[in-house]
Amino acid sequence: AGSARSHARRGLLRLRRGPDARPTAAMASLRAAIAARRFATAPASAASRPPAVLSIQSHVVCGAAGNSAAVFPMRRLGVDVWPLNTVQFSNHTQYGKWTGHVFPPEHITQIVDGIDAIDMLPSCNAVLSGYLGSEQQGGAVVDVVRRVRAANPKARWAAT
């Protein structure tokens, strides 16, 4: 795990030193992954289990943003990532045109209902929320955070 973390941090430094030196979505996702690793608080009985993060963000098919960018670096750091997509777009919205679908807020709730049905919510150490496709999704995310914290009071929430 140490070498993966070291490799990821070197990648973060390379991203920082990019041609325009602006923060990128990949760098923000990597920072979130490192933060998730730091504050993961697994119960003593699950000490050997990697930290679990429910990542509620966008998904793009072409490019890297939201869960498309966040999942890989977190997994490389040893985090058990549970990606829950709020949208599926052809590409990042910065291009000014895209196609795809914004999932209804019920989608978020239903997926978390399924996770709860198999008694995995107590294993969730953190919720990472990112791009939301609609205002109504915000309410669903807040409800999910409440449910996760009810199941695991030590769980954290990070919004990007």
Side-chain angles (χ1 to χ4, degrees):
S3 63
R5 186 172 26 251
S6 174
H7 177 72
R9 286 188 179 138
R10 282 194 303 275
L12 176 62
L13 292 175
R14 279 196 296 276
L15 288 170
R16 260 193 206 141
R17 295 182 189 136
D20 58 6
R22 289 187 327 225
T24 63
M27 186 166 69
S29 295
L30 187 56
R31 282 184 182 151
I34 292 168
R37 180 79 174 183
R38 282 188 190 137
F39 64 64
T41 52
S45 62
S48 62
R49 180 179 52 81
V53 175
L54 176 59
S55 181
I56 307 172
Q57 303 189 61
S58 63
H59 175 80
V60 296
V61 174
C62 182
N67 277 332
S68 303
V71 172
F72 177 73
M74 284 195 285
R75 286 189 174 153
R76 289 286 296 155
L77 290 169
V79 176
D80 183 13
V81 186
W82 306 344
L84 199 168
N85 299 325
T86 57
V87 302
Q88 179 158 328
F89 288 158
S90 56
N91 51 272
H92 194 285
T93 57
Q94 74 184 12
Y95 292 101
K97 57 184 174 180
W98 66 92
T99 59
H101 183 70
V102 175
F103 296 116
E106 298 79 24
H107 167 78
I108 295 169
T109 305
Q110 289 170 350
I111 297 296
V112 174
D113 286 345
I115 295 168
D116 194 16
I118 59 171
D119 296 320
M120 289 299 289
L121 282 186
S123 300
C124 185
N125 301 104
V127 177
L128 173 61
S129 62
Y131 182 88
L132 303 179
S134 71
E135 186 177 323
Q136 294 79 17
Q137 285 181 342
V141 170
V142 169
D143 289 342
V144 165
V145 170
R146 286 185 184 131
R147 288 177 65 182
V148 168
R149 285 188 171 162
N152 179 0
K154 293 182 178 181
R156 303 284 182 104
W157 178 22
T160 61

